[in-house]
Amino acid sequence: MSAKRVLVIGGAASGKSAFAENIIVQSGLARTYIATARIWDAEMNQKVAEHQKMRGAGWTTVEEPLDPAKPLATLNSEQAVLLDCATMWLTNHLMDDGDLAAAEDRLMDAFRCCRAYCVVVSNEVGGGIVPADALSRRFRQAQGRLNQRLATQADTVVQVVAGLPNVLKGSL
């Protein structure tokens, strides 16, 4: 299978991670999971544990909350990788108040150049109300820009709503 880039996008708890995991499993390739979440509290720890249980065995997990470009660069065409998720990655950068533009450029380069079958999960946040505080508005704007950049580079974009896929670009 030649390298392919897929963006799976949807709202919170829409079923996008399960859908993305299934894409990777169906590829038949060696599976890598790049986890971007930071565990700050018991609730997040429980969410991570549920995701791990849902994925099951057969995955190599790489925890990379800030620079997934590193592991993406190490993969080859005999592998499939799931980056879950771009939203947590963005949150980490906003909370650290680093150079988001440079980090985003590194991520885009890594997504474009990754030799593996690459699936990225991201949240769609544009359907809600205008947030009341500056950080939330900055996040919403940055997430929308990031999603647009990922969608431009992706061969396939799938929106997941209520567990149901809607292919917006390309094909699976």
Side-chain angles (χ1 to χ4, degrees):
M1 174 180 292
S2 63
K4 183 171 183 178
R5 292 175 299 278
V6 179
L7 173 63
V8 177
I9 191 166
S14 64
K16 62 191 173 298
S17 290
F19 181 81
E21 290 165 7
N22 190 53
I23 292 172
I24 297 292
V25 170
Q26 294 299 316
S27 76
L29 300 169
R31 297 172 276 181
T32 298
Y33 184 93
I34 300 177
T36 61
R38 287 179 171 162
I39 300 173
W40 296 104
D41 56 28
E43 177 194 8
M44 192 60 169
N45 190 49
Q46 179 64 31
K47 182 176 180 174
V48 168
E50 288 170 8
H51 270 260
Q52 289 170 338
K53 183 178 179 184
M54 185 172 69
R55 264 193 319 277
W59 292 80
T60 298
T61 301
V62 178
E63 293 183 13
E64 189 51 70
L66 292 171
D67 195 6
K70 288 180 189 176
L72 286 172
T74 68
L75 301 171
N76 64 54
S77 62
E78 301 301 315
Q79 297 170 291
V81 61
L82 173 56
L83 173 64
D84 196 358
C85 77
T87 305
M88 293 304 299
W89 170 87
L90 175 64
T91 299
N92 295 338
H93 279 280
L94 287 174
M95 298 307 290
D96 286 359
D97 200 26
D99 186 347
L100 181 58
E104 190 174 308
D105 286 345
R106 278 192 310 278
L107 179 61
M108 291 302 111
D109 287 344
F111 185 45
R112 184 181 65 254
C113 296
C114 185
R115 293 180 308 273
Y117 186 98
C118 186
V119 179
V120 175
V121 171
S122 193
N123 284 34
E124 173 55 53
V125 297
I129 62 171
V130 175
D133 65 274
L135 178 60
S136 297
R137 287 189 300 274
R138 183 175 174 223
F139 167 76
R140 184 188 64 165
Q141 190 67 26
Q143 185 67 62
R145 184 179 55 248
L146 176 62
N147 288 343
Q148 290 176 45
R149 288 186 74 186
L150 287 165
T152 296
Q153 286 192 16
D155 301 306
T156 300
V157 179
V158 181
Q159 176 190 36
V160 178
V161 178
L164 301 173
N166 179 27
V167 177
L168 302 175
K169 176 183 176 183
S171 62
L172 290 171

